[in-house]
Amino acid sequence: NKEKDYLVYKKNANEMQENVKFPDEYRDKLNQFLVDVLEIDFFREHMNLFSMLGVMYLKGLGVNEDHKKAFEKFQIAATNGYKPACLALGTLYFNGQGVNRDYKKAFEWIKLALESDDSNLSRDCSLIIGQMYQHGLGVKQNYKNAEKYYKIALKYGHANAQQLLDS
């Protein structure tokens, strides 16, 4: 378990430093360096935590609602490959929450999220991308592509996909 390894390693690093007689200023810097390095490795494996923080800031769950902070947390997770955060980031760009509205960036992030193995995520991304093609939001309007993505959403069981195909 990486979380347990992280905590054990952090404890051992602190104990080792207490046995070595560095001047306090160097010991503090070394300790901070070790913690920073460990946290980077730990969080690289746990991008869902940043995504959860993003949801908390977006919805004001236990913290003050802050769309800019939500955007920052989702961006960290998304740029490190966490696909649900890619959808969230794309949605923030689409709605202009915490960032200026940018349909082109929204499309890019949502399309990246579509590469997920998660069928629920693929279902939602496909429907949004279909709508973006249908209305020319961030991409050139293209009804064939809209239909293609609506069919993918329908395949994954999106309730609204059939209505959009029929319209």
Side-chain angles (χ1 to χ4, degrees), residues 51-101:
S51 195
M52 284 190 267
L53 284 170
V55 170
M56 290 172 69
Y57 280 112
L58 184 64
K59 298 184 179 210
L61 302 172
V63 295
N64 290 329
E65 188 174 305
D66 186 330
H67 293 167
K68 285 186 180 189
K69 284 187 180 178
F71 177 83
E72 291 169 4
K73 303 307 177 194
F74 286 129
Q75 188 175 37
I76 290 168
T79 56
N80 282 283
Y82 188 63
K83 300 302 182 191
C86 294
L87 173 59
L89 195 62
T91 303
L92 291 177
Y93 273 116
F94 188 90
N95 295 321
Q97 293 175 291
V99 65
N100 291 330
R101 178 172 285 168

Side-chain angles (χ1 to χ4, degrees), residues 3 18 20 24 31 48 51 60 78-80 88 96 103-104 106-108 113 123 140-142 148 150 161 167:
E3 184 175 356
E18 289 183 17
V20 177
D24 286 341
N31 185 48
N48 61 323
S51 195
T79 56
N80 282 283
Y103 292 125
K104 196 171 190 169
F107 181 84
E108 291 169 4
R123 176 196 67 207
K140 186 177 179 184
Q141 192 171 37
N142 185 318
K148 170 186 165 186
Y150 289 151
S167 63

